[in-house]
Amino acid sequence: MRDTRESRLLLVLLIAVAFALITVDIRGGENSPVDGARQAAATVFGPVENGMAAAVDPVGNAIGAVRDSGERHNKIADLQRENEALKQKLGSDVRNRSRLNQLDAMLKTAGEGQYGIKAAQVIGIGAAQGFSWTVTIDAGSRDGIKRDMTVLNGEGLVGRVTTVGPSTATVLLANDPDFTVGTRMENSDELGFATGQGDRPLSVQLLNGKAKVKAGDRLVTFGSQSDKPFVPGVPVGEVVKVDPSGGDLTRTIYVRPYVGFTKLDIVGVVVEAPRTDPRDQVLPAKPQPTPTPTVTVTVTPSPNPNQANPNAADPNVPIPGGDPNNANPNGNANPNGAANPNANPNGPANNGNANNNNNNAAADGDQ
């Protein structure tokens, strides 16, 4: 259609008519004069609109599904990230609790022995290299660590410091074959020297070949001169095997160390020795033996054969309808030996066994 004066005039006229119809429809309300025309248009164009909607809806649904799928994917990714964060936090919390428990146990050991310690964390282990049983800790000369200082944890003796750097130090573990420490037996005070054997129990040479030792006996460090490299009283382990002396000057025993050398984490370096030897105070408390259960025996008394049968009739109580001259039907004779009322009163008393016929004959003779 060309843009002419007539076409413009027609467009303005149609717009005016449309506004007029809208005004009449609004003012008419439910009784609008154009309501019939509207219904007729709906009847004609309704099926067309439904067809168009049915054709367009799958496309719209697909677009919505793609959009929702992206949102769900993002939500799943967010949930996965949150789960990973929670797992890391949970793992961190468990590890922190474990470290806290180790630190508490170590502080308790240090307090009982009056050791001044510097806490450190194991950051490297040398046993995997196959040369020696050593670990690296994150404390060095800047923290006051020096060579030949005792290292312990909450369980007992860990080792001694061999090399010191500004921020790290190397610790030779007590189970290393090159490690030797003087020991003292609990209570008996027998002295010896413990040597590491890797993943096997420590080998201890007692100076007294006739020392009385048994499995379960415990050892602590004897201490060195000037407390270097070892301070006294640090728990070492328990005896698990005793070799027969065989007349030797020394005696060999095998000791299971308290410390698990393959799972070290928090340790303490003794930077200040105790003023006095703590002796056996740092050793863990011995487990109390389980009490033996008390056996209760219930005895049921057997009936006394000399005791009267409780089911027997009372001999002093007459039995209704019974013959007093006959024996008790329960098997008990009349103990009172009462005279037969039919017997002759001048005759002998009937003990319960007299014949009634004889008694009656005697009575007739008297008459």
Side-chain angles (χ1 to χ4, degrees), residues 12-358:
V12 171
L13 181 61
L14 291 174
I15 293 173
V17 172
F19 275 108
L21 292 175
I22 292 172
T23 302
V24 172
D25 185 30
I26 294 174
R27 290 183 177 180
E30 296 180 355
N31 299 321
S32 173
V34 297
D35 186 56
R38 184 186 300 111
Q39 292 179 358
T43 302
V44 174
F45 295 105
V48 178
E49 291 178 352
N50 290 335
M52 293 295 295
V56 174
D57 282 344
V59 179
N61 293 337
I63 296 174
V66 172
R67 182 179 62 254
D68 295 341
S69 176
E71 293 178 356
R72 286 195 296 269
H73 180 74
N74 294 334
K75 290 180 180 180
I76 292 174
D78 293 340
L79 291 175
Q80 289 177 346
R81 284 193 295 269
E82 291 177 1
N83 290 338
E84 291 298 329
L86 290 174
K87 290 179 180 178
Q88 293 178 1
K89 183 179 179 181
L90 179 60
S92 177
D93 290 343
V94 172
R95 188 176 181 184
N96 289 336
R97 284 196 297 269
S98 175
R99 290 180 175 179
L100 181 60
N101 293 334
Q102 294 180 47
L103 182 60
D104 288 342
M106 185 176 66
L107 292 177
K108 181 180 178 181
T109 298
E112 292 175 347
Q114 297 299 308
Y115 307 123
I117 63 172
K118 172 65 179 179
Q121 182 180 351
V122 175
I123 58 176
I125 186 168
Q129 301 173 1
F131 298 108
S132 60
W133 288 80
T134 60
V135 294
T136 302
I137 59 176
D138 62 351
S141 58
R142 297 174 183 174
D143 304 294
I145 307 301
K146 297 180 181 180
R147 180 184 171 87
D148 288 336
M149 283 185 169
T150 306
V151 182
L152 52 79
N153 65 4
E155 297 172 329
L157 179 66
V158 173
R160 62 181 175 89
V161 178
T162 56
T163 306
V164 181
S167 58
T168 61
T170 301
V171 178
L172 182 67
L173 301 180
N175 64 335
D176 188 90
D178 293 332
F179 185 94
T180 302
V181 58
T183 61
R184 179 179 59 79
M185 297 287 300
E186 179 187 15
N187 298 327
S188 67
D189 293 337
E190 294 288 350
L191 302 181
F193 293 95
T195 303
Q197 297 192 111
D199 55 358
R200 295 179 295 169
L202 306 177
S203 175
V204 180
Q205 294 288 330
L206 294 179
L207 301 181
N208 182 5
K210 298 181 179 180
K212 295 182 179 180
V213 188
K214 65 181 183 300
D217 288 347
R218 306 187 293 180
L219 292 84
V220 297
T221 56
F222 177 68
S224 307
Q225 186 176 4
S226 300
D227 299 316
K228 288 187 177 182
F230 303 107
V231 294
V234 180
V236 175
E238 294 183 359
V239 177
V240 293
K241 181 181 177 182
V242 179
D243 280 350
S245 60
D248 296 335
L249 297 178
T250 61
R251 191 171 192 181
T252 303
I253 61 176
Y254 299 93
V255 176
R256 180 180 62 247
Y258 287 121
V259 174
F261 297 105
T262 59
K263 53 181 181 180
L264 292 172
D265 189 6
I266 303 298
V267 298
V269 182
V270 181
V271 296
E272 184 178 354
R275 295 182 180 179
T276 58
D277 187 349
R279 306 290 294 178
D280 302 330
Q281 295 180 4
V282 189
L283 284 170
K286 290 185 177 180
Q288 297 296 329
T290 304
T292 304
T294 303
V295 179
T296 304
V297 179
T298 303
V299 179
T300 303
S302 58
N304 189 346
N306 298 323
Q307 185 178 0
N309 187 348
N311 296 324
D314 190 347
N316 296 322
V317 178
I319 300 175
D323 189 352
N325 299 320
N326 294 331
N328 191 324
N330 292 325
N332 296 328
N334 190 341
N336 297 324
N340 191 332
N342 298 322
N344 189 342
N346 297 324
N350 187 352
N351 292 327
N353 296 323
N355 191 321
N356 291 336
N357 295 327
N358 296 331

